[in-house]
Amino acid sequence: MKKILPVFSYLFHPIFIPFLGTFFYVVLDDNYFTLPQYLVLFIQIIIISILLPLTFFYLLRTFGKIDSIMLSDISQRKIPLLLQIMLMSILIAKSITIDRYFELFFFFSGGLFSTIIAFLLLFAKIKASIHMIGMSALTVFIIGLSIHTEINIINTVVFFVAMNGFVASSRLEMKAHTKKELAIGFVCGMLPQLLLLYFWL
């Protein structure tokens, strides 16, 4: 089991959370978009939330600013988180707007707030788990979609609740975080999503 646990850190890396949130939004929400519109949405998400961060990662690694995509060192987190804040702001302002993708807008807005909180905590020498931020945010959003659409997806909810535990165990096994840092990350991801549920449920 100890050899398997690290796999969860890669399968549910924060870089994939925006894509997963968008996937469940498309599957569950009562949208009336055409296939080309869905394709454009996913292409934008993939470019801005996956490809560009990976490009920046390799650039930063080339210049010796970071040594791993897991960003285990607190001193290496400021630039990637700042870049993430900028990319998410662009995505919300230009693509995932409130008039186009109402519920998804609040998911990404919550993610932006969580990222800003994680960035600010660095100045207090607090390393919140970005993995747990992503997993807890995604789980709350999926639960919110289930309530909003009145679709029973209890098995999916249970799965992601369990994945929160596996990802947390994975981070502990890899010695990337303490239990306190995992708990802080969980709250940082969950709280903005819970607060924003008020505006779209």
Side-chain angles (χ1 to χ4, degrees):
M1 190 63 182
K2 288 185 177 182
K3 292 182 179 180
I4 297 175
L5 280 174
V7 174
F8 292 95
S9 286
Y10 292 95
L11 286 178
F12 295 101
H13 191 278
I15 205 170
F16 300 125
I17 299 301
F19 179 86
L20 289 172
T22 304
F23 172 79
F24 282 103
Y25 166 75
V26 169
V27 170
L28 296 176
D29 203 25
D30 189 16
N31 299 302
Y32 298 97
F33 300 119
T34 62
L35 181 58
Q37 287 176 312
Y38 282 131
L39 290 175
V40 169
L41 172 63
F42 277 111
I43 289 171
Q44 290 173 333
I45 297 297
I46 291 170
I47 291 174
I48 297 178
S49 68
I50 298 178
L51 297 182
L52 283 179
L54 283 175
T55 302
F56 285 129
F57 161 73
Y58 284 112
L59 283 174
L60 291 171
R61 189 172 185 180
T62 300
F63 290 107
K65 298 296 183 181
I66 58 176
D67 55 20
S68 169
I69 198 170
M70 293 300 176
L71 301 176
S72 56
D73 192 331
I74 194 170
S75 64
Q76 299 179 1
R77 292 184 159 221
K78 289 183 180 178
I79 295 177
L81 283 178
L82 191 58
L83 288 170
Q84 186 67 14
I85 290 170
M86 293 171 60
L87 290 174
M88 290 189 74
S89 297
I90 292 171
L91 196 60
I92 292 170
K94 301 297 183 180
S95 178
I96 313 297
T97 56
I98 193 169
D99 57 319
R100 282 184 185 174
Y101 308 103
F102 186 72
E103 298 86 354
L104 196 60
F105 168 82
F106 289 105
F107 172 62
F108 278 90
S109 295
L112 176 60
F113 291 141
S114 295
T115 308
I116 291 172
I117 293 170
F119 177 74
L120 294 176
L121 286 175
L122 293 177
F123 294 94
K125 305 298 181 183
I126 298 174
K127 187 177 73 170
S129 170
I130 303 173
H131 277 76
M132 293 312 299
I133 288 176
M135 287 303 295
S136 61
L138 178 62
T139 304
V140 173
F141 181 61
I142 291 172
I143 293 171
L145 282 175
S146 177
I147 297 170
H148 180 65
T149 59
E150 298 182 352
I151 297 175
N152 185 353
I153 52 167
I154 186 64
N155 291 335
T156 302
V157 171
V158 170
F159 172 79
F160 276 98
V161 169
M163 287 305 102
N164 275 265
F166 278 110
V167 171
S169 298
S170 173
R171 304 307 289 154
L172 287 173
E173 178 63 27
M174 296 175 73
K175 295 179 170 49
H177 288 288
T178 63
K179 291 180 181 179
K180 180 180 178 181
E181 290 167 348
L182 292 171
I184 292 172
F186 183 85
V187 173
C188 286
M190 175 185 65
L191 197 56
Q193 296 294 332
L194 284 176
L195 293 174
L196 289 175
L197 284 179
Y198 172 81
F199 296 99
W200 64 273
L201 274 189

